[in-house]
Amino acid sequence: MLQNIPLYDICSLSDINQDDILISRFAPYLDTHKNLFTTHRHSFYHLVLFTEGSGTHSIDFENFEVKPRQIYFMIPGQVHSWGFEGFTDGYIINFSASFIQSFVLQHGYLDNFSFFSGNLADAVINLPLETYEVIRPLFETILAEAANPGASAADMIRLLMLQIFIRVNRVTTTPTVNNNSSYNQTLLKNFKNLIEHHYTDIKLPKDYAAMLYITPNHLNAVCKDMMGISAGEMIRNRIMLEAKRMLTNPQLSINEISLKLNFSDNSYFTKFFKKLENITPEEFRKKLLNDHGK
């Protein structure tokens, strides 16, 4: 019988009882967890720095070529799989939101980093050589702290992780040039947060604009200027992503998925899906299962 798409927490991937952090070199991690090659979800934050290897990895149905000096970041709930060619190594850190949040006073601190936004364009980064040469020793020090913990080892690991985040952020973030740009960035961030919380029950841009205290035209202009797509497209893309994630679970019927996403009926959901994806939900699921079985 086909099983649900696996959802792994840190405890299920660790030999010891730790539910906030897992740190490892990548090659031995792969040897221990061969089940992670197939499609799965994480309940935690996840980052990998590749030092060698080739092949592909997939995040939320988008494929990326594996390259040395590539770092990628994932947030809880994203769907993921690997397809490596030959020996692959690097570093992996899995951690809970509370592992970092317990250390910093600012609520939602990780939201400051675009690579933790869930936007795939920001999440997979090919590091410049000079940045890589600074960051790799930080991963080595984290491994050493985890292997031989001294006083306040967890806090030292947190500090080293924050250094990694900040250094990666410096090479991926375009400096703000004016106040208007900064305002639009904040507006877009707030819009994305609202979509994340309401995409199943609020589907019209005008309703989001009202919650942001701006006009629909203003919201649309900001989205087109900063994302290259309309506000409506951003909402539809988030609904579509969740639909695809749900379709990876063979035990959920198409009708159940349409209800969970708050469509009025199954046929409307199918039309919505086909318009954006050019195939029906059933065809998408069949293709996914065929690929999974290879």
Side-chain angles (χ1 to χ4, degrees), residues 47-283:
L47 69 137
V48 169
L49 173 65
F50 293 117
T51 57
E52 57 182 303
S54 61
T56 62
H57 61 106
S58 169
I59 305 173
D60 278 339
F61 316 101
E62 188 169 331
N63 290 324
F64 299 90
E65 182 185 353
V66 172
K67 299 176 182 178
R69 302 205 318 262
Q70 183 183 87
I71 190 168
Y72 73 83
F73 300 83
M74 287 178 57
I75 62 174
Q78 290 187 294
V79 173
H80 183 47
S81 63
W82 289 316
F84 299 124
E85 296 172 2
F87 181 74
T88 304
D89 203 3
Y91 309 90
I92 182 167
I93 300 178
N94 298 330
F95 66 98
S96 68
S98 62
F99 183 75
I100 294 294
Q101 194 57 61
S102 64
F103 193 63
V104 292
L105 289 175
Q106 184 181 337
H107 179 71
Y109 180 76
L110 293 178
D111 295 339
N112 293 322
F113 303 108
S114 60
F115 42 79
F116 282 130
S117 68
N119 180 10
L120 296 182
D122 299 321
V124 181
I125 303 148
N126 297 309
L127 295 173
L129 180 59
E130 58 271 22
T131 305
Y132 172 77
E133 288 178 341
V134 171
I135 284 177
R136 183 170 181 175
L138 296 175
F139 278 95
E140 285 290 341
T141 308
I142 288 173
L143 281 172
E145 285 288 336
N148 298 291
S152 303
D155 286 348
M156 180 60 78
I157 289 170
R158 291 180 178 101
L159 283 172
L160 292 162
M161 287 172 62
L162 291 174
Q163 283 192 61
I164 291 170
F165 301 161
I166 291 166
R167 289 187 179 277
V168 172
N169 193 53
R170 284 179 176 176
V171 298
T172 58
T173 302
T174 304
T176 300
V177 293
N178 57 54
N179 288 336
N180 189 51
S181 175
S182 178
Y183 168 74
N184 286 344
Q185 287 173 358
T186 301
L187 191 62
L188 183 66
K189 179 181 174 181
N190 290 339
F191 178 44
K192 287 179 177 178
N193 287 339
L194 285 173
I195 292 174
E196 195 60 34
H197 287 95
H198 296 288
Y199 64 89
T200 58
D201 55 291
I202 300 176
K203 294 184 167 64
L204 297 178
K206 67 179 181 66
D207 295 325
Y208 286 97
M211 288 191 285
L212 293 165
Y213 302 100
I214 59 173
T215 66
N217 285 345
H218 185 182
L219 177 60
N220 216 38
V222 169
C223 292
K224 285 188 173 179
D225 181 50
M226 302 193 73
M227 298 294 293
I229 58 176
S230 69
E233 214 171 333
M234 288 183 65
I235 299 164
R236 291 189 291 275
N237 287 348
R238 183 63 186 88
I239 297 167
M240 176 60 82
L241 172 59
E242 200 60 28
K244 288 178 177 179
R245 288 176 175 175
M246 289 184 182
L247 285 164
T248 61
N249 179 354
Q251 294 183 342
L252 272 180
S253 70
I254 305 299
N255 188 56
E256 285 173 318
I257 292 171
S258 69
L259 289 173
K260 285 177 181 291
L261 293 174
N262 225 5
F263 283 88
S264 54
D265 58 54
N266 185 25
S267 62
Y268 180 41
F269 168 63
T270 298
K271 287 176 185 175
F272 169 86
F273 193 98
K274 188 170 184 179
K275 185 176 181 180
L276 271 68
E277 196 67 18
N278 293 320
I279 57 174
T280 66
E282 291 89 346
E283 290 166 339

